[in-house]
Amino acid sequence: MKSIFQATVRDLSHKGLGVVDHPDGRTFFVRGTWPGDFGEFEVDHGAQKYDEANLLQIIKSSADRIEVQCSFRGYRPGQCGGCPWMIAEYSSQLKYKIKRLHHALEKRKVSVASEIFRPIVASPKIYGYRNRVQLKTDGRKLGYVSEASSIFAPVNHCMIMNEKLHEIFHEVLATLPRDDFKPSGGHNWCYLDLDDELKSHEITVNKRRPFRQGNTEQNVFMKKWVELKFQNLPKHFPVIDLFCGSGNFTEVLSGLGFTNILAVEVQGSALTMLKNKELRGVRILELDINEKGSWAQIAKYQPHARAILVDPPREGLVKRKGFFKYLDNLEHIFYISCELDTFSRDTSDLVNHHWSLREVTPIDLFPHTPHVEILSHFSKPNS
Ligand SMILES: C[S@@+](CC[C@H](N)C(=O)[O-])C[C@H]1O[C@@H](n2cnc3c(N)ncnc32)[C@H](O)[C@@H]1O
């Protein structure tokens, strides 16, 4: 059964979808809407996504709405489903990113003094900023699989790729159709990791690249931030770069002159890249931090660590007990997070273990998405 209703979008949800109230009192989430939009919506009461309504038409646009410049954006079959916030002014996107951060911390009852929050660091480029993307291909076309429809949507242009990546994208596109790009894994596509550090002929299907920060300009900022935070610490301090990847931040620590850096990471291919950098003062530990005994192992290799840089994947610090048990000498934690829920969870735990939150700097790595990256600093009260 379907019903149609009119409403004003009153907020954005946790996932960044518009929030509307149905006349019967229920709340629905709507893709492709922005707070202030007055529109007509349809609810399919038998649909799988029971809490989502579809936008039928915008009757009056939000003052923050802008004309979308990408012809592939949208949620119908054949549209890519990406860049959900491309409908709004960038300043409004940033405002809602900050709101998401505050909301996530409030939900965990973490109270943060206002001077701890630094202004959000806007992306210098809001189009053409991405240095890598994962595309899908059926051997004939390149595209994305829409999160909304789960349908493969071919594209021949992508506004968020940087110039170099776009060139590579077109070089690969020019080689199609080809038989080595075979659908796999029960899908009608396979995946391609495109990266502006690769040549187009080096790109192979279903081969995951080690992690790389996706916005080159903002990565420069993040490295500078790490440099500023560590530069005043004594260089003989034993430090840990946990979730070091291929050494993006390890390079900074080594460059500052730290002589005792333990770089920890699970992915062997990332660590091979780090080894090839031949950084001074760095020892490498290949380890899955979620495995039993991993914190004890870190403590064995770096028993007197005084500062730690933590840059986990979205799941955050899943196994934290060992962290509190083994790293007694720690004075500073620099926590870089790509996921607000787990950042808030871990912050709450740290605060409950008597760590003081000194700084929270949100930074926008991915314009047109709800994503917010956090740069944060915790210290022991008398450090
Ligand atoms: C957000 S990335 C950060 C990488 C690096 N700091 C950078 O800036 O490029 C997170 C890293 O954690 C690694 N990782 C994920 N799960 C892990 C685990 N359970 N144990 C150790 N490392 C893990 C990933 O392979 C990835 O390199």
Side-chain angles (χ1 to χ4, degrees):
M1 198 187 78
K2 292 184 177 180
S3 70
I4 292 175
F5 66 102
Q6 293 185 348
T8 298
V9 178
R10 65 169 162 85
D11 203 351
L12 291 174
S13 73
H14 171 65
K15 289 187 183 160
L17 278 65
V19 179
V20 287
D21 296 320
H22 192 278
D24 71 6
R26 283 177 303 161
T27 296
F28 288 94
F29 306 116
V30 195
R31 293 174 195 270
T33 60
W34 200 253
D37 281 339
F38 176 64
E40 190 167 56
F41 307 98
E42 181 187 61
V43 179
D44 182 348
H45 296 276
Q48 266 186 333
K49 291 182 177 164
Y50 62 92
D51 56 356
E52 284 193 26
N54 294 319
L55 172 67
L56 294 179
Q57 59 163 325
I58 300 274
I59 297 166
K60 190 170 186 305
S61 293
S62 159
D64 295 327
R65 227 177 214 280
I66 54 167
E67 201 170 323
V68 173
Q69 301 192 26
C70 175
S71 52
F72 299 102
R73 209 209 69 90
Y75 303 104
R76 289 194 296 276
Q79 295 180 313
C80 89
C83 298
W85 286 12
M86 206 179 253
I87 55 176
E89 290 281 2
Y90 188 50
S91 57
S92 189
Q93 294 182 28
L94 293 177
K95 186 178 111 188
Y96 279 97
K97 287 186 188 227
I98 296 166
K99 198 169 169 192
R100 288 191 72 225
L101 164 63
H102 285 263
H103 183 66
L105 288 166
E106 278 160 18
K107 237 172 67 182
R108 293 274 174 183
K109 300 191 172 30
V110 181
S111 64
V112 183
S114 57
E115 64 271 17
I116 302 292
F117 289 108
R118 303 283 196 274
I120 190 163
V121 182
S123 179
K125 291 182 184 161
I126 64 165
Y127 299 105
Y129 65 82
R130 278 205 76 131
N131 56 29
R132 61 174 177 85
V133 289
Q134 185 175 93
L135 291 173
K136 306 292 188 287
T137 178
D138 56 1
R140 305 183 161 276
K141 303 235 158 82
L142 295 180
Y144 295 98
V145 169
S146 168
E147 192 205 297
S149 64
S150 306
I151 294 173
F152 174 59
V155 300
N156 57 22
H157 182 82
C158 177
M159 294 188 71
I160 57 168
M161 288 184 199
N162 71 23
E163 223 171 288
K164 193 147 171 248
L165 192 63
H166 220 259
E167 259 170 44
I168 295 167
F169 166 69
H170 277 286
E171 282 169 21
V172 177
L173 203 55
T175 67
L176 301 182
R178 49 195 277 182
D179 293 335
D180 56 332
F181 286 6
K182 284 194 188 68
S184 62
H187 303 294
N188 60 354
W189 42 262
C190 51
Y191 72 82
L192 279 180
D193 275 1
L194 256 58
D195 189 313
D196 72 0
E197 286 181 337
L198 288 177
K199 301 264 183 294
S200 57
H201 67 265
E202 293 170 331
I203 291 163
T204 47
V205 290
N206 296 339
K207 190 158 186 290
R208 222 170 260 285
R209 300 259 307 145
F211 178 86
R212 181 181 173 210
Q213 301 289 353
N215 182 328
T216 304
E217 285 79 9
Q218 292 295 65
N219 189 42
V220 171
F221 182 95
M222 293 205 287
K223 289 179 94 156
K224 192 76 204 159
W225 184 86
V226 170
E227 186 181 327
L228 285 171
K229 297 296 144 188
F230 278 83
Q231 72 183 6
N232 293 327
L233 300 183
K235 303 303 172 286
H236 67 272
F237 262 26
V239 297
I240 300 172
D241 181 5
L242 178 55
F243 306 103
C244 66
S246 56
N248 183 40
F249 300 130
T250 328
E251 281 173 10
V252 177
L253 303 180
S254 172
L256 281 171
F258 282 91
T259 52
N260 184 359
I261 305 162
L262 183 70
V264 184
E265 162 66 43
V266 72
Q267 207 185 6
S269 55
L271 288 176
T272 303
M273 289 169 81
L274 171 55
K275 273 179 205 147
N276 291 340
K277 291 180 181 168
E278 297 181 357
L279 301 175
R280 287 167 62 133
V282 177
R283 285 173 300 139
I284 289 170
L285 178 59
E286 185 171 343
L287 179 98
D288 180 344
I289 195 67
N290 298 334
E291 292 275 299
K292 201 163 176 244
S294 60
W295 287 106
Q297 214 179 329
I298 289 181
K300 188 174 128 204
Y301 280 83
Q302 194 67 302
H304 308 295
R306 305 279 284 274
I308 187 168
L309 178 65
V310 188
D311 182 16
R314 278 188 290 199
E315 64 185 21
L317 278 177
V318 179
K319 299 265 160 64
R320 297 181 297 283
K321 268 194 192 147
F323 178 86
F324 297 114
K325 183 170 167 193
Y326 288 104
L327 300 176
D328 309 348
N329 293 307
L330 273 187
E331 292 170 25
H332 298 277
I333 302 170
F334 300 97
Y335 187 145
I336 299 182
S337 165
C338 58
E339 169 60 51
L340 294 176
D341 284 342
T342 56
F343 171 69
S344 308
R345 177 200 68 199
D346 296 347
T347 297
S348 163
D349 225 8
L350 286 165
V351 170
N352 288 336
H353 281 81
H354 312 296
W355 282 89
S356 300
L357 181 56
R358 304 275 173 178
E359 176 186 335
V360 177
T361 298
I363 172 167
D364 187 22
L365 301 189
F366 302 112
H368 316 303
T369 75
H371 181 275
V372 194
E373 191 86 3
I374 304 296
L375 309 174
S376 67
H377 176 201
F378 299 81
S379 69
K380 283 273 170 69
N382 44 8
S383 312

